[in-house]
Amino acid sequence: MTRVPAVAAVLLALVASLAGQARAADARPVAVVRVQALDQAILIRLNETRAEHGLRPLVLSRALDDAAASHSRSMLQNGFFAHESSDGSAFSVRIKRFYRPAGYASWSTGENLIYRTGQLNADTAVKTWLASPEHRRNMLDPAWREVGIASMHASSARGQFGGEPTWVVTMDFGVRTGGKSVGKPMPTPTRALATKPTR
């Protein structure tokens, strides 16, 4: 029978204990806070940018807002950054659960994402998106009528965010035409990804 020296046994126990603590810490839910002041500031900068290009302003849609909030929260809580949802489904599938196409003759959505460790403000987010052709195309698409914006912050985000304080913003664009009327709009209260519109 092989005997483990006392010092080695203590070290093994310590390593096992630390690994267990790390697993327990990783299993704890991530505290995510929505920062609606940033949502509002981004909307203002978005519509200022559209106005500079002769485009109509976008109004906030409660359905798109809920879709954006769901995705921003999920990315921070699950430690990933992608248009696909945590279950691997396409962004349009997620948005469709909130911003329903049923009853409309046409339905289209697009999405911009950004995350940043440290601080993030509206100017940084909008300038980052404008510097990317795909994000810019989404922001300046004349077809859009509505938007949902959800800025979320976690003081320690797991997964690919490496435990750092992290901001994530999801901006979902949409237009539905024909059929039932769109409900009343809500009052106007770095790394980025963009998707081409899904029509």
Side-chain angles (χ1 to χ4, degrees), residues 4-152:
V4 178
V7 173
V10 169
L11 287 174
L12 287 172
L14 181 60
V15 168
S17 173
L18 290 174
Q21 289 173 16
R23 283 194 300 272
D26 209 40
R28 281 198 300 266
V30 174
V32 176
V33 176
R34 181 155 187 191
V35 185
Q36 290 184 314
L38 181 55
D39 299 345
Q40 294 167 4
I42 290 173
L43 178 62
I44 289 168
R45 289 289 294 111
L46 167 66
N47 280 334
E48 286 174 350
T49 303
R50 288 177 63 86
E52 290 165 6
H53 290 80
L55 300 170
R56 73 174 72 196
L58 301 182
V59 296
L60 278 178
S61 154
R62 188 173 302 279
L64 288 172
D65 199 67
D66 289 345
S70 170
H71 195 49
S72 288
R73 185 176 292 106
S74 177
M75 285 189 286
L76 281 173
Q77 289 178 335
N78 294 292
F80 74 99
F81 184 69
H83 288 292
E84 293 75 19
S85 298
S86 58
D87 64 2
S89 60
F91 88 101
S92 56
V93 172
R94 166 177 36 85
I95 294 177
K96 205 173 282 189
R97 291 199 302 265
F98 298 91
Y99 190 68
R100 299 182 184 279
Y104 293 92
S106 67
W107 176 92
S108 180
T109 61
E111 182 171 85
N112 281 4
L113 302 177
I114 187 170
Y115 90 80
R116 185 177 175 123
T117 56
Q119 291 300 309
L120 178 67
N121 60 40
D123 283 341
T124 299
V126 170
K127 285 176 182 176
T128 301
W129 282 324
L130 287 174
S132 160
E134 287 190 350
H135 295 88
R136 183 183 181 89
R137 196 174 306 122
N138 265 349
M139 292 173 69
L140 300 180
D141 190 328
W144 302 135
R145 297 294 179 266
E146 300 176 285
V147 69
I149 303 168
S151 309
M152 303 276 186

